[in-house]
Amino acid sequence: MSVKDKHGLPEENSRRMELIRAAARLFRDQGYERTTVRDTGNAVGLQSGSLFYHFRTKEEILVAVMALGITATTEQLAEAIASVHTPREKLAALFHVHLNSLLGDNQHALEVMLYEWRSVSDAAKPGLIVLRDRYEALWQTVLDEAAADGLVKPDTRLLRRTLLGSLHWSVQWFRSNGELNVNELADRMLALVLLK
Amino acid sequence: MSVKDKHGLPEENSRRMELIRAAARLFRDQGYERTTVRDTGNAVGLQSGSLFYHFRTKEEILVAVMALGITATTEQLAEAIASVHTPREKLAALFHVHLNSLLGDNQHALEVMLYEWRSVSDAAKPGLIVLRDRYEALWQTVLDEAAADGLVKPDTRLLRRTLLGSLHWSVQWFRSNGELNVNELADRMLALVLLK
DNA sequence: GTCTATACGTGGATAGAC
DNA sequence: GTCTATCCACGTATAGAC
């Protein structure tokens, strides 16, 4: 976890970060459009006027939420991949990190990224796309190595897309009080694509 | 295609149906919250006041859009399954019908179903859930038969969820002017899960 | 940095004429 | 069935005091 990075996400003064986290929760629970700037301010004890000291527009908050979710997940994945050595272990890391992030640590921010894309202005999209592509590039590399070892089918570009779709969709049905925990789910989803 | 069914979707007087289709497109392009009742009315040449002759609330339109998307797809899938005989062919039908619906015929309504769920009131959810469950039950049956024949792995409940997630996600990246057409995509996605 | 007050636009929905 | 006119609530954002 770096102390600072580019893309408007230095590990910022805590007021701003507090707002981003509160907004992430609200945007994911109620949707971005239905969440008012008053709601967002109030969630950290601010009046709506004060919120605009920290962000110039409501959309700036949305973008910050998304950037936080995807960069945090990317960092976690990069670390996890670096800490193991076999293609098989790296492949497993894809599933474990993704699900633990999406269903745990970065749940709200990532769901906002998945479901509020339409509310992002064209001006802000490119910056977020760069972050997303960086994450998916990690996936592609690991999948290619796994395919080279015969662990998964060789159509890795399509495989990447289908797997990410499968994992994203888990937020719609996974319940942490159900029969499976997150890591068990990761293992079973991995088992569905493993060839050996 | 039935002339009439329950769930508020008789093959209705065409004005109402026109509005539902126009709303589907607008809701999917702009999002439900950002689409105004004025937009929706205007799309079929009506003033907003007149729209409320056809629907009591804006939400009633949303629910009608979703119900249309899922019932139309379910009907198409039921027909497709009934018209072939081997587990292998039925399995292929899941992919082909789903993608042709989601990326073609019922694109707008289904994307609304996938992305605007949060805007549905608790009162309206149960009716839609019934429709969704009916669709997924068809999937489950076909996957169980396929697993019994050794065509796919036996963890069919999880398989159903992962496959539906994969297919849903295709709307995010599939482009009809790309290298693949919809049916080729269906075949390649099928190939990724086939064991033989 | 945060507050209060407020400008200004636009939203969903209704009433009543035609 | 559709229109016009309109109600009233609520949205984002700004200004200026503290």
Side-chain angles (χ1 to χ4, degrees):
Chain A
M1 205 77 76
S2 70
V3 172
K4 200 174 193 346
D5 66 66
K6 37 243 88 79
H7 318 296
L9 279 180
E11 191 111 320
E12 350 213 356
N13 58 78
S14 65
R15 207 69 171 123
R16 191 177 153 104
M17 187 55 84
E18 247 187 293
L19 276 164
I20 294 172
R21 293 198 187 287
R25 167 162 244 127
L26 290 169
F27 292 172
R28 110 76 200 243
D29 289 345
Q30 315 177 348
Y32 172 70
E33 295 290 347
R34 298 165 84 100
T35 303
T36 69
V37 293
R38 291 182 234 270
D39 289 340
T40 310
N42 293 346
V44 300
L46 283 184
Q47 298 301 312
S48 74
S50 314
L51 184 147
F52 286 94
Y53 171 82
H54 300 281
F55 296 91
R56 271 200 309 262
T57 63
K58 187 186 175 190
E59 199 211 0
E60 192 179 310
I61 310 177
L62 176 64
V63 173
V65 166
M66 292 183 176
L68 175 65
I70 186 68
T71 55
T73 307
T74 302
E75 287 174 17
Q76 288 168 22
L77 182 56
E79 279 179 31
I81 291 173
S83 72
V84 295
H85 301 93
T86 67
R88 167 70 206 243
E89 288 169 317
K90 293 184 184 197
L91 184 63
L94 297 182
F95 288 74
H96 283 270
V97 171
H98 191 103
L99 288 180
N100 276 293
S101 200
L102 184 60
L103 302 173
D105 308 342
N106 302 110
Q107 189 181 113
H108 304 130
L110 283 175
E111 287 192 48
V112 170
M113 179 95 179
L114 293 178
Y115 288 96
E116 301 292 351
W117 188 251
R118 248 181 339 215
S119 295
V120 177
S121 69
D122 287 341
K125 275 177 183 158
L128 292 169
I129 289 175
V130 166
L131 300 180
R132 185 202 61 190
D133 288 349
R134 196 167 293 168
Y135 180 68
E136 297 198 358
L138 290 178
W139 268 73
Q140 191 64 50
T141 303
V142 171
L143 288 177
D144 285 339
E145 289 173 17
D149 268 26
L151 292 171
V152 298
K153 301 215 178 185
D155 190 358
T156 57
R157 294 186 63 81
L158 185 60
L159 188 60
R160 188 193 78 232
R161 287 172 157 157
T162 60
L163 289 179
L164 284 170
S166 295
L167 294 169
H168 293 337
W169 188 245
S170 68
V171 302
Q172 296 294 336
W173 57 267
F174 179 79
R175 294 295 165 254
S176 54
N177 54 5
E179 2 161 17
L180 289 177
N181 67 35
V182 175
N183 288 313
E184 290 164 346
L185 175 61
D187 288 332
R188 278 183 54 190
M189 291 185 78
L190 172 57
L192 285 177
V193 295
L194 270 184
L195 297 178
K196 64 179 188 187
Chain B
M1 206 76 77
S2 70
V3 173
K4 199 173 190 354
D5 65 65
K6 36 244 84 72
H7 318 296
L9 280 181
E11 189 112 319
E12 348 213 358
N13 56 78
S14 63
R15 206 72 171 119
R16 190 177 154 104
M17 186 56 84
E18 249 188 293
L19 277 163
I20 294 173
R21 294 197 188 283
R25 166 162 244 130
L26 289 169
F27 292 172
R28 109 79 199 240
D29 289 344
Q30 314 177 349
Y32 172 71
E33 295 290 346
R34 298 164 86 99
T35 303
T36 69
V37 293
R38 290 175 176 82
D39 290 339
T40 310
N42 293 347
V44 301
L46 283 184
Q47 298 300 313
S48 73
S50 313
L51 183 147
F52 286 95
Y53 171 81
H54 299 281
F55 296 91
R56 271 201 309 263
T57 64
K58 187 187 176 191
E59 200 212 358
E60 193 179 308
I61 310 178
L62 177 63
V63 173
V65 166
M66 292 183 175
L68 175 65
I70 186 68
T71 54
T73 306
T74 303
E75 286 173 19
Q76 287 167 23
L77 181 57
E79 279 178 32
I81 292 173
S83 72
V84 294
H85 301 94
T86 68
R88 167 70 206 242
E89 289 169 316
K90 293 185 185 198
L91 184 62
L94 297 181
F95 289 74
H96 282 270
V97 170
H98 191 103
L99 288 179
N100 275 292
S101 200
L102 184 60
L103 303 173
D105 308 342
N106 302 110
Q107 190 181 106
H108 305 130
L110 284 175
E111 286 192 49
V112 171
M113 179 95 179
L114 293 178
Y115 288 95
E116 300 292 351
W117 188 250
R118 249 182 336 216
S119 295
V120 177
S121 69
D122 287 341
K125 277 178 181 156
L128 292 169
I129 289 175
V130 167
L131 299 180
R132 186 203 59 190
D133 288 350
R134 196 167 293 167
Y135 179 67
E136 298 198 356
L138 290 178
W139 267 73
Q140 191 62 51
T141 303
V142 171
L143 288 176
D144 285 339
E145 289 172 18
D149 268 27
L151 292 170
V152 297
K153 300 215 180 186
D155 191 357
T156 57
R157 294 186 62 81
L158 186 59
L159 188 59
R160 187 193 78 232
R161 287 171 159 159
T162 60
L163 290 179
L164 284 170
S166 295
L167 294 169
H168 292 336
W169 188 244
S170 68
V171 301
Q172 297 294 335
W173 57 268
F174 180 79
R175 296 294 164 254
S176 53
N177 53 4
E179 5 161 14
L180 289 177
N181 68 35
V182 175
N183 288 314
E184 289 164 347
L185 175 61
D187 287 333
R188 278 183 52 191
M189 291 185 78
L190 172 58
L192 285 177
V193 294
L194 270 184
L195 298 178
K196 64 178 188 188

